[in-house]
Amino acid sequence: MNGLSPNFVTLISEPRTDYTLIDSGAGRKYERYGDKSFIRPEPQAMWQPALSDWDADAEFIPGSDDEGGGRWYNHRPVPTDGWPLCWNDEVTFNAQCTPFRHLGFFPDMDPVWRWMRGKLTGLAEPDAMNLFGYTGVGTLALSAVGAKMVHVDASKKSVAQARVNAEMSGMTDRPVRWIIDDAAKFAAREVRRERRYDAILLDPPKYGRGPDGEIWRLEEDLPPLIADCRRLIDANSRCLFLTVYAVRMSAMALGALLKSHFGDLPGRVEFGELAVREQTRGLLLPTAIFARWSQD
């Protein structure tokens, strides 16, 4: 194995129809989701905005606590039950203002899904798993190129929305297992079942709860989960991708974690950041850190 690549990789989400970062600065970002625009907090936007007027449909104002509180304030009517968007002319899904300041999907994952799809090219119905799969846009993006998917999330509401998104995309007949479960417990059971996967996507939160009250703490629980994922991957597998948001952690540390478990396999481990390109000036707004293993 080539080991841990010393090159820092940046995966960039470019402006597109379903999502565009219009402008950013002063701790906020101005975004377009389809035909609707929003303002959300963004601590990493430490520069000044390029535009003087952000005419958004709604803005999320954070609360005074440190637990992610806050609420949306509408300047124009925004459908409370959401509105349809389409990724890559293949996956139709419902965007919606959530209490957690998100809008029903993570648009900066676009280059991740494209990279994984490229790694699965040439395989007939590869087996892939999406842990912490949220509303399923990534699951459907991989399913669209023929992958047999296992989608795992602890939230009944998120999995229900993922099923709706599959229906909106005309993909209800695709081989997808929709699993409501604690991701770590499910992965451990898959190891005991001696399952294997061609690709695994992980997007774990910093903190979370499973359906039976299980507690997820990233720093404590990620290493054993990665160890189990290694047992689900073999020398014929294609890739594993790990993203981490909003933590005081280094991308290099994630890369070292993957290398410690995947170092015996052919291929390489790389690490870096996800970023979104701002439309107005072309600035790159960092959003997450990642590490990935793949066959060359």
Side-chain angles (χ1 to χ4, degrees):
M1 170 158 181
N2 294 330
L4 181 62
S5 171
N7 299 319
F8 192 90
V9 179
T10 304
L11 296 180
I12 302 170
S13 177
E14 302 287 354
R16 56 188 192 272
T17 302
D18 62 295
Y19 174 79
T20 296
L21 175 63
I22 304 170
D23 193 14
S24 61
R28 301 186 303 163
K29 54 187 175 182
Y30 179 33
E31 308 163 291
R32 182 183 299 114
Y33 287 76
D35 62 353
K36 295 175 175 40
S37 57
F38 302 91
I39 298 170
R40 293 192 293 159
E42 181 48 72
Q44 298 202 83
M46 295 180 285
W47 44 85
Q48 289 301 307
L51 305 176
S52 59
D53 182 24
W54 288 5
D55 183 23
D57 293 299
E59 179 174 1
F60 187 91
I61 304 297
S64 58
D65 58 82
D66 295 325
E67 301 299 323
R71 59 164 294 184
W72 288 96
Y73 291 85
N74 290 354
H75 305 301
R76 287 184 289 271
V78 175
T80 56
D81 56 352
W83 63 98
L85 294 180
C86 187
W87 178 81
N88 203 44
D89 295 326
E90 295 175 82
V91 179
T92 301
F93 59 95
N94 192 64
Q96 186 176 18
C97 296
T98 74
F100 309 103
R101 81 180 63 184
H102 307 306
L103 285 100
F105 80 117
F106 295 100
D108 56 332
M109 292 291 289
D110 167 84
V112 176
W113 303 329
R114 295 181 188 276
W115 180 82
M116 293 189 71
R117 282 159 55 115
K119 290 297 179 182
L120 295 177
T121 298
L123 293 182
E125 293 194 321
D127 290 297
M129 179 164 61
N130 187 2
L131 293 173
F132 312 95
Y134 195 36
T135 57
V137 181
T139 295
L140 298 174
L142 298 182
S143 180
V145 293
K148 295 186 294 183
M149 296 300 304
V150 175
H151 174 102
V152 184
D153 199 282
S155 167
K156 292 182 180 180
K157 184 176 181 180
S158 292
V159 174
Q161 184 60 58
R163 287 178 172 273
V164 170
N165 290 340
E167 183 175 358
M168 292 174 66
S169 301
M171 297 173 66
T172 54
D173 60 340
R174 292 293 305 147
V176 180
R177 294 173 59 201
W178 304 105
I179 308 294
I180 302 170
D181 202 349
D182 176 80
K185 285 187 173 181
F186 181 81
R189 287 199 300 273
E190 290 289 86
V191 170
R192 293 194 293 272
R193 295 173 186 133
E194 299 185 347
R195 288 287 305 275
R196 70 165 294 279
Y197 288 91
D198 294 295
I200 298 178
L201 173 60
L202 305 95
D203 186 19
K206 180 178 180 180
Y207 176 86
R209 289 185 179 272
D212 296 320
E214 303 92 340
I215 301 296
W216 167 269
R217 293 182 177 88
L218 184 76
E219 291 83 355
E220 299 173 15
D221 298 321
L222 181 60
L225 176 57
I226 293 299
D228 279 340
C229 287
R230 168 61 186 89
R231 298 182 182 99
L232 299 173
I233 293 285
D234 62 24
N236 295 316
S237 301
R238 293 296 181 90
C239 61
L240 176 141
F241 204 105
L242 166 67
T243 57
V244 171
Y245 289 79
V247 295
R248 295 174 180 174
M249 189 179 292
S250 165
M252 188 179 295
L254 292 185
L257 173 63
L258 287 199
K259 183 178 182 298
S260 70
H261 290 287
F262 288 76
D264 61 318
L265 291 178
R268 69 175 68 185
V269 170
E270 299 170 299
F271 61 90
E273 291 193 12
L274 302 185
V276 178
R277 191 183 306 279
E278 181 193 282
Q279 183 183 57
T280 303
R281 292 169 291 189
L283 291 177
L284 294 182
L285 177 66
T287 60
I289 57 176
F290 75 85
R292 64 187 183 186
W293 165 81
S294 68
Q295 298 275 18
D296 292 330

